[in-house]
Amino acid sequence: MAEFDYLIVGAGLFGATFAHLARKAGKKCLVIDRRNHIGGNTFCENQGGINVHVYGAHIFHTNDKPIWDFVNSFTEFNRYTNSPVALHEGKLYNLPFNMNTFYQLWGVTTPEQAQAKIAEQIASLNITEPQNLEEQALTLVGTDIYEKLIKGYTEKQWGRKATELPAFIIKRLPVRFTFDNNYFNDKYQGIPIGGYNKITEGMLEGTEVRLDTDYFSDRAYFDGLADRVVFTGPLDEFYNFQFGELEYRSLRFEHETHEVENYQGNAVVNYTEAHVPFTRIIEHKHFEFGKQPHTIITREYPDTWTKGKEAYYPINDEENTRRMKQYQELAAQETNVLFGGRLAEYRYYDMHQVIGSAFVKAKQELGVDLVQS
Ligand code: FAD
C-alpha cells in the first residue's frame, strides 16, 4: 500500500481545491509544487503591507453561489469592483465601453446618440465578411473605439498586427449603453481580505505540502508515494513533449516602489497606444483600499514565450489545437492519473472556473459532493 491516496502535482487553485475536498473525504494527500510557494498564479507577496500580485492582477468574480460561498469560507472578500481606465494620447477613457466612454470620445449624452455614432461608423466601412481581427473589431464597434482603445493594446498583447490575427479571437465586444464602469457582469466580485494566499493556505490546511519539488525530478519516486496522481502541470511536459510543445504567450513584470501614497488613482490603467511597450500598470494597494504612505506599481509587458519563461496565455491556433488533441488521446488512456487546471488542459480558466472544474472532477473521483458540507 502506498503512503498517500493522492499525489497532487501543483499547489495552484486546482490542486488546492482538489486536496481540500479529498481531505474532507478522508483521503491522505501529498501536494508538491516546483515553485517555492503555494497558490500557483494567484500567489501574492506581502511587501510592507501591500499584497503584490506576483503573476499578474487577479480579481475574483463569479455568478456561482456555491463557488462564492466556498472561497468565502476561507476568508471574507472585500467589495472591490474592477473598473479599469484606458490611457490614450493623454486622455482617459472608462472601460468597459459604456456611456461614460462614449461621452469621453464624442461628447454624446444619450444612448440613442451613442448608438447612432457607432452605427454610422460601422456602415461607412464596407466590410461584409471580416477577414482578420481588425476587420472583425471594426464591424463590431466602429473606427474610433477600435483605433483608440483596441488596436494598439491587442497588437502588443499578441505581438502581431491586428490584420495578421484571426478574426475569431474577438467574438464579441461588449458595449453598454448605461453609465456603468463595472468591468464584470457577475453577481459576486471582490478581493480576499488579506490576499489570495489566505484562500490557498486555508484549502491546504492539514495537508502535507512540499515546495521546491519538481515531479519530473524523480517521477518514479513520486508515483510510488501514492495510489493515484492528480497532475496540474503542463500536459506536453507530462508526455516529454513527444508531439512538440504547446505554445503560450508570456508576460514580463516590472515592479517599482514609489514613495507616494497614490500613484495613479486606480488599480488598473490600460495603455492602449502601440508605442508604449507595456499594456497596463497595476497599482496593487487599490485592490485592498490600502492607506500605506508608499505604493507599489507593476508594468505588464507582453512577451514571447520560450521554455523556462512563465507560460500565461495558451495560443489556441490550429497547430497547437492539433498537438493538444494528440496529447489528450494519450491522457485518456491513463488509468491512474487525473489531469486538471489551466496547464494540463491547455486552456484559459478564470479562477472561479478552475475551482468549478475541480469541484466536478473531485466529485467524479471521490464519488461524493463535499463542497457544501
Ligand atoms: P496554476 O496557478 O498555474 O497552478 C499550477 C501549479 O502547478 C503551479 O504552481 C506550478 O508551479 C505547478 N507545477 C507545474 N508543473 C509542476 C511540476 N512538474 N512539479 C511540481 N509542480 C508543478 N482569473 C480570474 O478569475 N480573475 C483574474 O483577474 C485573473 N487574472 C489573471 C491574470 C493573468 C496575467 C493570468 C495569466 C491569469 C489570470 N487569471 C485570472 C486566471 C488564474 O490565474 C487561473 O485561473 C488560475 O491560476 C489557474 O489555477 P491552476 O491551478 O490551474 O494553475
Side-chain angles (χ1 to χ4, degrees):
M1 255 211 15
E3 190 182 344
F4 296 93
D5 295 305
Y6 289 99
L7 167 76
I8 301 172
V9 181
L13 276 183
F14 188 97
T17 303
F18 188 94
H20 179 80
L21 296 175
R23 199 175 78 86
K24 258 186 162 179
K27 305 291 181 193
K28 193 174 172 203
C29 302
L30 170 66
V31 177
I32 61 169
D33 203 296
R34 60 182 166 197
R35 291 176 174 170
N36 63 2
H37 58 75
I38 62 164
N41 278 5
T42 66
F43 174 69
C44 294
E45 203 171 79
N46 191 300
Q47 291 184 25
I50 299 173
N51 281 310
V52 175
H53 296 209
V54 175
Y55 301 94
H58 278 71
I59 299 127
F60 199 95
H61 58 99
T62 183
N63 264 326
D64 190 302
K65 179 108 173 39
I67 291 175
W68 183 243
D69 289 344
F70 180 69
V71 290
N72 274 272
S73 72
F74 301 105
T75 185
E76 216 181 307
F77 275 59
N78 70 17
R79 54 138 207 92
Y80 175 81
T81 302
N82 194 31
S83 43
V85 289
L87 188 64
H88 182 269
E89 286 173 9
K91 283 195 169 167
L92 285 170
Y93 299 92
N94 286 108
L95 297 174
F97 313 132
N98 71 81
M99 282 304 296
N100 290 309
T101 331
F102 308 142
Y103 175 70
Q104 290 147 354
L105 279 167
W106 307 308
V108 295
T109 53
T110 66
E112 200 182 340
Q113 289 167 347
Q115 278 156 348
K117 194 86 190 163
I118 293 172
E120 176 195 309
Q121 293 194 358
I122 293 173
S124 69
L125 290 167
N126 242 337
I127 300 170
T128 40
E129 188 89 354
Q131 297 300 311
N132 52 54
L133 185 144
E134 175 160 302
E135 293 186 359
Q136 172 79 345
L138 281 167
T139 55
L140 291 170
V141 290
T143 326
D144 286 344
I145 299 178
Y146 173 70
E147 294 288 345
K148 292 190 168 140
L149 301 176
I150 298 172
K151 187 178 190 315
Y153 191 90
T154 310
E155 291 187 341
K156 286 190 280 190
Q157 219 177 4
W158 292 100
R160 277 162 68 185
K161 292 215 168 306
T163 47
E164 292 163 10
L165 287 164
F168 77 81
I169 293 184
I170 292 187
K171 290 197 182 76
R172 34 177 225 106
L173 283 167
V175 181
R176 258 183 218 161
F177 295 97
T178 50
F179 291 90
D180 180 2
N181 297 328
N182 179 356
Y183 196 78
F184 299 115
N185 289 315
D186 289 346
K187 193 165 170 188
Y188 310 104
Q189 178 175 183
I191 302 286
I193 294 172
Y196 284 95
N197 301 357
K198 288 234 171 194
I199 307 249
T200 40
E201 278 162 15
M203 287 174 174
L204 291 170
E205 204 180 294
T207 296
E208 182 175 341
V209 179
R210 296 184 198 165
L211 298 175
D212 293 310
T213 305
D214 191 337
Y215 174 64
F216 297 113
S217 67
D218 195 344
R219 207 166 161 162
Y221 163 74
F222 288 115
D223 284 343
L225 288 180
D227 292 332
R228 289 175 69 69
V229 175
V230 175
F231 184 77
T232 77
L235 192 60
D236 52 357
E237 194 176 359
F238 190 89
Y239 291 110
N240 208 17
F241 307 101
Q242 60 182 280
F243 303 123
E245 278 171 35
L246 295 170
E247 295 168 309
Y248 285 86
R249 191 87 180 120
S250 194
L251 292 170
R252 184 168 61 80
F253 299 109
E254 249 177 41
H255 307 287
E256 243 172 46
T257 300
H258 288 260
E259 294 307 321
V260 293
E261 197 188 320
N262 189 358
Y263 179 85
Q264 63 181 12
N266 206 30
V268 184
V269 178
N270 287 5
Y271 284 73
T272 59
E273 294 154 79
H275 66 86
V276 178
F278 46 88
T279 44
R280 45 185 200 167
I281 296 183
I282 307 300
E283 189 172 6
H284 302 271
K285 70 190 306 181
H286 294 306
F287 288 125
E288 300 183 57
F289 317 114
K291 294 276 175 273
Q292 300 81 359
H294 70 294
T295 193
I296 300 172
I297 61 154
T298 299
R299 291 194 186 83
E300 199 170 299
Y301 297 81
D303 200 5
T304 349
W305 175 80
T306 47
K307 242 191 211 166
K309 282 190 192 171
E310 289 297 341
Y312 284 107
Y313 300 108
I315 300 180
N316 299 103
D317 62 9
E318 250 174 64
E319 182 53 30
N320 286 301
T321 306
R322 195 183 58 75
R323 278 182 206 155
M324 182 56 189
K325 277 207 180 108
Q326 290 177 294
Y327 286 121
Q328 277 171 328
E329 277 164 25
L330 291 186
Q333 290 162 31
E334 302 286 346
T335 50
N336 241 4
V337 188
L338 188 155
F339 298 92
R342 67 179 194 103
L343 295 165
E345 295 183 52
Y346 190 58
R347 56 172 286 188
Y348 180 83
Y349 268 127
D350 268 332
M351 291 181 278
H352 63 287
Q353 294 169 323
V354 90
I355 291 172
S357 148
F359 282 0
V360 171
K361 290 199 174 160
K363 188 177 167 189
Q364 283 165 358
E365 174 70 23
L366 304 165
V368 357
D369 187 351
L370 290 155
V371 175
Q372 310 267 27
S373 56

